[in-house]
Amino acid sequence: MPRENLNDLQAFLAVARERSFTRAAAKAGVSQSALSHTIRQLEARLGVRLLTRTTRAVSPTQAGQRLIDGLGPHFDGIEAELDALNALRDKPAGNIRIVASDHALNHLLWPKLRGFLADYPDVKVELVLDNGLTDIVTERFDAGVRMGEQLAKDMISARIGPDFRFAVVGAPACFETRPVPSHPRELVEHVCINQRMPTSGGFWAWDFEEDGRELKIRVDGQLAFNNIYNVVDAAIDGFGLAYAPEDVVLSHVKAGRLIRVLEDFSPFWDGYHLYYPSRRQSSPAFVALVEALRHRS
């Protein structure tokens, strides 16, 4: 088979898996028009349409899906074998893609990765922020980060952070006209800042614990965001109470910009874990990354 056919098939797989010419072109480092031209040429040579294109999405046809199912595992196997060759290098090398929430990325991954990247200059790490429960296999990530209770059972995991708590905080002005809540149920009397959950589409219920029993409180207010840092900034500006990880807000509490309430009702959450499918175990670069991120109490 001519080499250009292999390149065209690889381009097709990239577009089909991304469901987007734009994203596939960006990852491949080529223009969208060039990638679209490549796919049209491939379809012309094969005599079948492989992709259905609309203004909003790209999806494989029946023939395209058959090609994905048949060729995809072989290309994945080639990539895995090329990665395995890195074991013969003097230093670990390769590309690693990780998806994580805004909190995990900023307060856990990045502080640890600074030293790792300096120690392993031949390892390239791509960090993708996503607060949803991303399917790392479908989206072709090497690993993801979730709290322990959210881990899929068919994944290997390594703890990379300690257990932690969320805190309810508000600017001093928030308590000038309303009393400080003494129980989570009293939050319904306060203006609160919501956070939208990408997986369910709804607002995040605030979790508390009383006498070993879980309490979930639905709050209301004028503002809602889809990431925790905007929530905290809005709380500092006095737009309502916020529910955020302790390590994000404690410096603001110590400085007097925020006041913490309901601390006795805040349970500990199972800490963050790096999780990944077993096929990544053979990569020296990935093994080194896991060891660098691993939590040591």
Side-chain angles (χ1 to χ4, degrees):
M1 177 181 288
R3 180 180 179 84
E4 59 268 21
N5 284 359
L6 289 175
N7 293 337
D8 292 353
L9 288 171
Q10 193 168 19
F12 160 71
L13 287 174
V15 175
R17 284 168 165 168
E18 290 294 333
R19 296 293 199 270
S20 167
F21 278 93
T22 302
R23 291 195 296 271
K27 287 189 175 181
V30 299
S31 69
Q32 184 176 340
S33 60
L35 188 58
S36 180
H37 179 68
T38 297
I39 300 302
R40 285 197 300 270
Q41 285 188 318
L42 177 63
E43 290 176 327
R45 288 200 303 274
L46 296 177
V48 294
R49 182 173 290 278
L50 300 174
L51 297 171
T52 299
R53 305 162 177 83
T54 68
T55 56
R56 293 187 176 183
V58 177
S59 60
T61 63
Q62 183 177 2
Q65 189 60 53
R66 180 172 179 176
L67 200 59
I68 294 169
D69 295 340
L71 292 182
H74 296 290
F75 276 90
D76 290 343
I78 292 172
E79 288 185 10
E81 289 302 320
L82 291 174
D83 284 343
L85 290 178
N86 286 322
L88 302 178
R89 296 170 59 104
D90 293 334
K91 296 180 180 179
N95 301 322
I96 300 173
R97 298 182 71 228
I98 305 174
V99 60
S101 69
D102 50 3
H103 176 231
L105 197 157
N106 283 278
H107 283 262
L108 191 61
L109 285 180
W110 181 237
K112 292 187 176 185
L113 282 174
R114 290 193 189 107
F116 173 82
L117 294 172
D119 292 339
Y120 298 97
D122 295 327
V123 178
K124 296 180 180 180
V125 179
E126 179 182 353
L127 300 174
V128 177
L129 193 158
D130 188 344
N131 287 320
L133 299 177
T134 304
D135 184 334
I136 62 172
V137 175
T138 301
E139 299 298 326
R140 296 177 62 76
F141 286 100
D142 297 302
V145 176
R146 290 183 188 174
M147 289 182 287
E149 61 189 24
Q150 297 174 328
L151 293 173
K153 294 181 179 179
D154 58 344
M155 292 285 170
I156 298 172
S157 67
R159 176 181 280 271
I160 61 173
D163 292 347
F164 64 95
R165 295 194 297 174
F166 276 66
V168 179
V169 293
C174 291
F175 305 107
E176 292 176 357
T177 57
R178 292 180 173 87
V180 174
S182 60
H183 192 279
R185 284 190 289 269
E186 296 174 15
L187 289 171
V188 298
E189 301 172 9
H190 283 261
V191 176
C192 298
I193 304 166
N194 266 305
Q195 183 175 355
R196 180 76 69 181
M197 300 306 295
T199 48
S200 65
F203 290 134
W204 192 2
W206 295 11
D207 284 284
F208 300 95
E209 188 176 88
E210 182 180 28
D211 299 327
R213 293 180 295 108
E214 183 182 48
L215 297 175
K216 286 186 176 290
I217 305 296
R218 298 285 178 180
V219 300
D220 193 20
Q222 189 179 11
L223 272 175
F225 297 96
N226 67 350
N227 82 82
I228 203 67
Y229 296 96
N230 290 138
V231 170
V232 173
D233 288 343
I236 293 171
D237 290 337
F239 284 96
L241 305 187
Y243 184 73
E246 282 182 327
D247 54 9
V248 178
V249 300
L250 284 184
S251 63
H252 301 297
V253 172
K254 292 178 181 178
R257 291 184 290 268
L258 294 172
I259 295 174
R260 183 174 186 177
V261 299
L262 303 173
E263 183 174 355
D264 291 341
F265 295 91
S266 297
F268 278 92
W269 292 49
D270 195 0
Y272 286 115
H273 291 65
L274 188 79
Y275 68 99
Y276 49 95
S278 59
R279 66 180 176 83
R280 292 301 308 177
Q281 284 183 302
S282 60
S283 164
F286 191 79
V287 170
L289 176 75
V290 172
E291 287 306 306
L293 295 178
R294 191 181 300 276
H295 175 62
R296 293 171 175 83
S297 56

